[in-house]
Amino acid sequence: MRFGSIILIVALCSFTAYYIYEPIPEEIEERWKLMLTNSFFRSLSHLADLSELLGLKDYMGVMYFITLAEKIVPVSDEHVKVKEETFDGVEVVLYQPKQRGGDTELRRAVIYLHGGGWCLGSSRMSPYDLLARKLVTELDAVVLSVEYRLAPAHHFPVPYEDVYRVVKHFLQKGVLAKYSVDPGRIAVSGDSAGGNLAAAVSQQLQKEPGQQVMLKAQALIYPVLQALDLNTPSYQQNQDMPILPRTLMVRFWSEYFTSDKALFRAMMANTHNNPESSSLLKFVNWSTFLPETYHRKYNYSAPAVVQGAGGGGVGMDGPSQSLADPRASPLLVPDSALRSLPKAYILTCEYDVLRDDGIMYVTRLRSAGVEVTHEHYDTGFHGGLMFTVWPTDFLIARRMTNNYIKWLEENL
């Protein structure tokens, strides 16, 4: 009996160790903490797959537990005044420094867009709440955090349009005056899918007729910027990395566009491009825009072009049109649309499938004459900036946060 118990315990420990352990590169700090953290994400992902297979709940519906687990009610404290409002029909959380008597100084502002693959996340999650408060206190800034609607309930372009409406509303002179914001010191920023939305808004705003107040800066944190080539060197190198493996990023892209699983399967095989999107592949040719050091052992092969690929229904246009839409993939705009963009801060991580998206954008922006600060973390992984809350607090998150805020302080 005792021997049987020992065998059971050893087997259980072995299974646990096998499940938790992952071949994470030695260069990554706090590897075991990352393994433990990712074991939770993997377990939830497996549960989501099973739930969808059994017809109980769709994959993203189960994964949304991550958002619910970290949701809080943002409240004011001794330094920060917090208000939940609605800007042009979209919920926002507004963070302001608590005014002292006679304080009439205009402040800088940061419009922040949360990540989560357009399907998960919330401005009311504790890591985003903490970041907003830190921006307020260290920059003496007004922070506007946007609660845009999510896919798959609201496919592209709804999340983008929500954000764009908020930005347009906030940039009205009367609204800026109400919140004591300096019209010449406003940035848009976001991480991951939020970085995608921030880049898209920056591009589209400059084309807005009669727009009087423009953005001074854009700060993009490991942004996702293109859906045409999902087989860049970073997608290949980091396909099994923690937090954002290739399968999950492809699923985010497909769910952003449609609930039709045919697109997911095509994207996994990198055979989702059609003749319309193929004409834009030149803008995401990593053999041209990626510095040689990031090519590694990989050789460029243009994604396959399939007649009728990307079919299905997204609103009135369908995924085939959405693939070629720069509001979804900001890397697809021509150089002429980049030249008048505001200065940029772009953070990339070595162990991230999205690394090459960010680096290619750095190359293209600089070639267009845009001032760019590129901060690359050789030991970084996707989502690092958000791991600031115990027990998943990482040292690299502090460094990322401090460097990000330092850039905003110097450039906004």
Side-chain angles (χ1 to χ4, degrees):
M1 186 73 174
R2 185 179 300 171
F3 182 73
S5 298
I6 292 172
I7 293 293
L8 182 62
I9 291 170
V10 170
L12 185 62
C13 291
S14 298
F15 175 77
T16 302
Y18 175 80
Y19 189 77
I20 292 175
Y21 180 79
E22 295 178 81
I24 294 176
E26 294 284 343
E27 293 80 6
I28 293 180
E29 304 171 42
E30 302 177 286
R31 291 170 66 244
W32 280 99
K33 184 186 283 192
L34 183 57
M35 287 182 203
L36 286 165
T37 301
N38 195 54
S39 67
F40 165 76
F41 285 97
R42 281 195 296 142
S43 299
L44 189 62
S45 180
H46 294 330
L47 180 63
D49 280 327
L50 180 62
S51 174
E52 188 167 81
L53 182 66
L54 297 175
L56 301 175
K57 197 172 184 66
D58 67 89
Y59 181 90
M60 290 302 171
V62 176
M63 292 299 288
Y64 194 73
F65 175 78
I66 296 168
T67 303
L68 294 176
E70 297 219 62
K71 259 198 172 182
I72 50 93
V73 177
V75 295
S76 300
D77 59 33
E78 59 179 321
H79 302 295
V80 182
K81 178 183 176 182
V82 183
K83 293 175 67 178
E84 296 185 72
E85 299 195 17
T86 301
F87 282 5
D88 198 10
V90 181
E91 293 180 21
V92 299
V93 183
L94 193 72
Y95 297 81
Q96 299 170 268
K98 280 202 170 171
Q99 293 206 348
R100 295 171 282 277
D103 184 2
T104 58
E105 183 182 356
L106 294 180
R107 295 181 168 89
R108 48 166 76 100
V110 178
I111 303 167
Y112 198 88
L113 313 173
H114 69 79
W118 310 282
C119 300
L120 309 175
S122 168
S123 59
R124 298 183 178 98
M125 289 174 69
S126 55
Y128 291 114
D129 179 70
L130 286 173
L131 178 61
R133 292 174 192 276
K134 197 170 180 67
L135 290 171
V136 171
T137 55
E138 296 199 16
L139 297 176
D140 191 33
V142 173
V143 177
L144 180 66
S145 199
V146 184
E147 191 73 356
Y148 56 88
R149 287 173 290 175
L150 302 174
H154 304 282
H155 294 298
F156 174 82
V158 174
Y160 164 80
E161 289 176 340
D162 280 358
V163 169
Y164 194 70
R165 289 207 312 275
V166 167
V167 173
K168 283 280 294 172
H169 178 88
F170 187 62
L171 293 184
Q172 295 176 90
K173 290 185 177 179
V175 176
L176 295 177
K178 178 181 177 181
Y179 299 111
S180 300
V181 172
D182 184 340
R185 303 176 73 194
I186 304 169
V188 66
S189 182
D191 61 294
S192 194
N196 166 282
L197 295 168
V201 165
S202 297
Q203 291 178 1
Q204 299 303 313
L205 192 67
Q206 67 175 341
K207 302 193 300 187
E208 187 71 34
Q211 180 64 36
Q212 294 182 314
V213 178
M214 301 301 288
L215 298 167
K216 183 177 182 181
Q218 54 180 322
L220 316 179
I221 300 165
Y222 33 78
V224 49
L225 296 169
Q226 58 88 25
L228 298 194
D229 188 355
L230 304 180
N231 212 28
T232 63
S234 61
Y235 267 103
Q236 296 181 66
Q237 172 189 304
N238 301 308
Q239 62 181 327
D240 297 315
M241 275 294 128
I243 313 302
L244 188 68
R246 181 178 184 269
T247 302
L248 181 57
M249 188 60 240
V250 172
R251 191 185 286 267
F252 280 143
W253 265 124
S254 66
E255 295 275 5
Y256 190 32
F257 292 141
T258 178
S259 295
D260 184 349
K261 302 304 179 190
L263 179 60
F264 172 69
R265 293 190 291 271
M267 284 183 144
M268 282 297 295
N270 213 33
T271 57
H272 56 288
N273 283 283
N274 53 49
E276 181 182 357
S277 64
S278 69
S279 64
L280 300 170
L281 285 170
K282 60 186 177 183
F283 295 125
V284 296
N285 184 333
W286 60 261
S287 67
T288 300
F289 299 117
L290 203 60
E292 190 73 32
T293 184
Y294 294 104
H295 290 200
R296 308 286 160 78
K297 62 182 180 181
Y298 307 103
N299 295 313
Y300 181 73
S301 177
V305 178
V306 180
Q307 188 72 40
V314 172
M316 295 179 64
D317 295 327
S320 57
Q321 282 76 19
S322 300
L323 282 171
D325 194 324
R327 296 176 303 167
S329 295
L331 258 176
L332 301 186
V333 298
D335 291 348
S336 59
L338 299 175
R339 293 183 186 121
S340 57
L341 288 177
K343 67 175 72 173
Y345 171 88
I346 299 179
L347 184 158
T348 57
C349 295
E350 179 62 27
Y351 300 107
D352 180 5
V353 293
L354 302 178
R355 179 197 70 197
D356 296 346
D357 283 22
I359 294 175
M360 286 193 286
Y361 202 40
V362 168
T363 301
R364 293 200 57 210
L365 286 172
R366 284 177 173 165
S367 295
V370 178
E371 181 184 338
V372 182
T373 298
H374 178 209
E375 194 125 44
H376 182 70
Y377 288 83
D378 290 329
T379 61
F381 54 90
H382 190 84
L385 187 80
M386 291 298 102
F387 288 107
T388 55
V389 180
W390 187 89
T392 57
D393 50 330
F394 285 79
L395 294 174
I396 196 167
R398 296 182 203 169
R399 293 203 302 277
M400 286 180 175
T401 302
N402 292 338
N403 291 336
Y404 165 61
I405 291 177
K406 181 182 177 184
W407 185 87
L408 288 171
E409 185 175 23
E410 294 173 351
N411 291 274
L412 187 60

